[in-house]
Amino acid sequence: MIQIKDLEIKYGSFTAVNKISLNIKENSSCAIIGPSGCGKSTLLYGLAGIVKPASGDIFIREQPVKENRRKTGLILQNYGLFPWKTVWENAILGLKIRSISMEEIDNTVTTILQELDILELKDKFPVQLSGGQKQRVAIARALSIQPDLLLMDEPFSALDAITREALQNLVLSLQQQKKMSIVFVTHNIEEAVFLGQQIVIMDKTEGSIKHIIENKNFGDRNFRFDEGFFQLCMEVRRIMEVSD
């Protein structure tokens, strides 16, 4: 699905991502975790086609990433909702930009809002929503384009623990139902272990990869309550502490 080869991304003279190579399988989930300033978000924005590499390559479905892909959905930390637009208007934005017919937009977005249990909120504005509801709208907008790749940058960091876990369960279900790949950035170890089939731990030193863990328990909703969950969290923590 995704091949990253010797990727280097710079901001001026500063190297944010340093010669990273990484493969991410189709219909899988990859968590990118590491200390602040290690290049996590920059790597994600490279995958999104928002920032350009200084050198190296990114391929998605064997096609080089040169700009925004039509089948890549992006969810930002601050939701990215337009405050002057209703839930419905925010949710359909990606499809309107792609000049999809209104009939198809209506059918697609109505179904997604129903799946996310927010159809009754369609005429409300973001200021009238809770944090969890705003995040569901952001998810709806991303899903409306029927992505094969969903990118998320700290998607649940501003939410309380219970809401965060509920949305993690939702994302897991969506990934399994819709057969899409997910790459997400997080500071939360428990989130990386629960939602990451592949856990990429980045080093603080100029955006390199410290370690990669394959999570054999990915997809098990009950894994949170298993002793192995806490053991894997401790393993990730130890590796991160060494990288500091």
Side-chain angles (χ1 to χ4, degrees):
M1 175 65 179
I2 299 173
Q3 292 177 302
I4 302 171
K5 299 180 178 180
D6 295 323
L7 183 68
E8 185 177 45
I9 300 176
K10 293 187 174 185
Y11 297 117
S13 61
F14 174 72
T15 301
V17 171
N18 186 20
K19 298 296 183 181
I20 281 181
S21 294
L22 178 66
N23 292 327
I24 301 172
K25 296 178 181 178
E26 187 172 2
N27 301 334
S28 68
S29 176
C30 177
I32 302 172
I33 189 169
S36 297
C38 70
K40 301 186 300 297
S41 292
T42 298
L43 176 57
L44 193 79
Y45 296 155
L47 289 173
I50 295 173
V51 297
K52 305 301 181 185
S55 62
D57 298 288
I58 302 173
F59 296 92
I60 299 178
R61 293 190 178 277
E62 301 182 349
Q63 298 298 314
V65 175
K66 301 297 184 183
E67 56 188 4
N68 296 344
R69 286 179 74 242
R70 290 180 64 87
K71 299 291 285 184
T72 296
L74 178 62
I75 299 176
L76 302 173
Q77 182 177 359
N78 64 355
Y79 316 122
L81 303 181
F82 292 105
W84 60 89
K85 292 183 178 291
T86 64
V87 166
W88 179 264
E89 291 167 338
N90 271 287
I92 69 173
L93 190 59
L95 293 177
K96 287 192 68 176
I97 290 172
R98 288 163 171 79
S99 300
I100 305 299
S101 71
M102 284 309 301
E103 181 180 1
E104 186 175 347
I105 288 175
D106 287 343
N107 292 336
T108 299
V109 176
T110 297
T111 299
I112 291 171
L113 294 182
Q114 286 174 332
E115 290 177 346
L116 298 178
D117 198 27
I118 53 172
L119 183 59
E120 72 279 5
L121 303 176
K122 67 184 184 70
D123 296 322
K124 292 187 178 294
F125 291 89
V127 71
Q128 299 173 287
L129 306 178
S130 68
Q133 289 169 336
K134 290 177 185 177
Q135 193 58 279
R136 285 174 185 259
V137 177
I139 292 171
R141 184 171 61 192
L143 292 181
S144 70
I145 65 169
Q146 299 177 325
D148 57 15
L149 174 62
L150 181 62
L151 305 176
M152 302 189 295
D153 188 14
E154 293 281 355
F156 312 125
S157 60
L159 305 176
D160 65 86
I162 299 300
T163 302
R164 184 166 61 242
E165 288 188 5
L167 285 174
Q168 289 168 1
N169 288 337
L170 173 63
V171 167
L172 179 61
S173 295
L174 291 170
Q175 190 272 335
Q176 293 171 333
Q177 292 168 12
K178 298 183 181 298
K179 305 298 182 185
M180 60 184 172
S181 298
I182 293 177
V183 182
F184 68 99
V185 165
T186 182
H187 280 96
N188 188 290
I189 293 174
E190 290 78 9
E191 184 167 276
V193 170
F194 181 70
L195 274 183
Q197 186 172 359
Q198 185 180 39
I199 303 170
V200 175
I201 303 169
M202 294 187 66
D203 198 294
K204 191 172 185 178
T205 306
E206 291 191 342
S208 59
I209 292 178
K210 179 71 175 179
H211 196 76
I212 298 175
I213 296 174
E214 299 295 333
N215 181 4
K216 297 179 180 179
N217 294 100
F218 171 75
D220 180 3
R221 282 198 180 198
N222 295 319
F223 184 44
R224 277 200 190 96
F225 310 105
D226 190 275
E227 183 179 349
F229 178 81
F230 300 101
Q231 291 174 347
L232 187 52
C233 286
M234 289 304 299
E235 181 181 352
V236 173
R237 187 179 301 278
R238 282 193 295 268
I239 294 169
M240 289 181 64
E241 287 174 350
V242 170
S243 70
D244 285 340

